Amino acid sequence: MYQPENETFREGLDELAAHYKHIIQLLGEDPTREGLLKTPMRVAKAMQVLTRGYEMDAHKVLTDALFKEDYSQMVIVKDIDFFSLCEHHMLPFYGKAHVAYIPNGYITGLSKIARVVDIYSHRLQVQERMTLQIKECIEQTLHPLGVMVVVEAKHMCMQMRGVEKQNSITTTSDFSGAFNQAKTRQEFMNLIHKS
């Protein structure tokens, strides 16, 4: 969801920029230096874009493209790229989400599944909660026979600071309904890891 430069930003943008100016100063830099003059406003705008999910309703996204359909096999949208901000250090974590559901009389537009991931990832997050929120949104809105979500991500808070492990990947999953059966879960896992 590209946000052009002339798009209206949320309330509080100027105040946010003022705080970033103060932060730059507290870090030991001169916020009036030429290279940093516009940085507070740039960062404030970036943060509003990176947290735009707070003003979006993921349930409405799904219901806006809800269609009656008698399809009752697994629907998978895999390799959904996402970027989010860890709420503990406000550093990025990024990766791929894989989402499956088994319809129960209704389907939604495939792009809407990716939009749900986008909405929850554009908030201050932890990967575990984001995984649960995606699953619950689909479950509560579509009332499918089952939902499963797997999220694989790299966390900059682990790569840039602390343990500094650049190649570690964190995987989380959550599931309900038909996916409580090991055979159904395994079918999903096989399909998302197929080249």
Side-chain angles (χ1 to χ4, degrees), residues 18 30 41 52 56 74-75 78 88 97 109 114 117-118 123 140 161 189 191:
D30 176 7
M41 184 55 74
R52 67 181 177 246
M56 298 177 181
M74 200 180 300
V75 176
K78 70 176 193 170
H88 299 144
V117 172
D118 193 53
R123 299 176 180 186
Q140 294 165 5
R161 56 160 305 284
M189 296 304 287
L191 288 168

Side-chain angles (χ1 to χ4, degrees), residues 117-134:
V117 172
D118 193 53
I119 288 168
Y120 288 116
S121 66
H122 280 82
R123 299 176 180 186
L124 299 181
Q125 274 292 12
V126 294
Q127 184 175 332
E128 296 88 343
R129 182 191 316 119
M130 187 180 92
T131 304
L132 175 66
Q133 287 173 328
I134 295 165

Side-chain angles (χ1 to χ4, degrees), residues 70-86:
D70 288 331
Y71 185 79
S72 60
Q73 299 301 312
M74 200 180 300
V75 176
I76 300 173
V77 182
K78 70 176 193 170
D79 295 331
I80 303 167
D81 291 316
F82 76 89
F83 300 88
S84 192
L85 287 176
C86 163

Side-chain angles (χ1 to χ4, degrees), residues 150-178:
V150 172
V151 176
E152 300 168 314
K154 289 190 170 192
H155 291 249
M156 296 304 280
C157 58
M158 284 184 66
Q159 293 177 318
M160 295 175 67
R161 56 160 305 284
V163 296
E164 296 184 17
K165 300 301 178 202
Q166 281 70 37
N167 297 311
S168 63
I169 295 175
T170 302
T171 303
T172 51
S173 67
D174 201 354
F175 51 87
S176 66

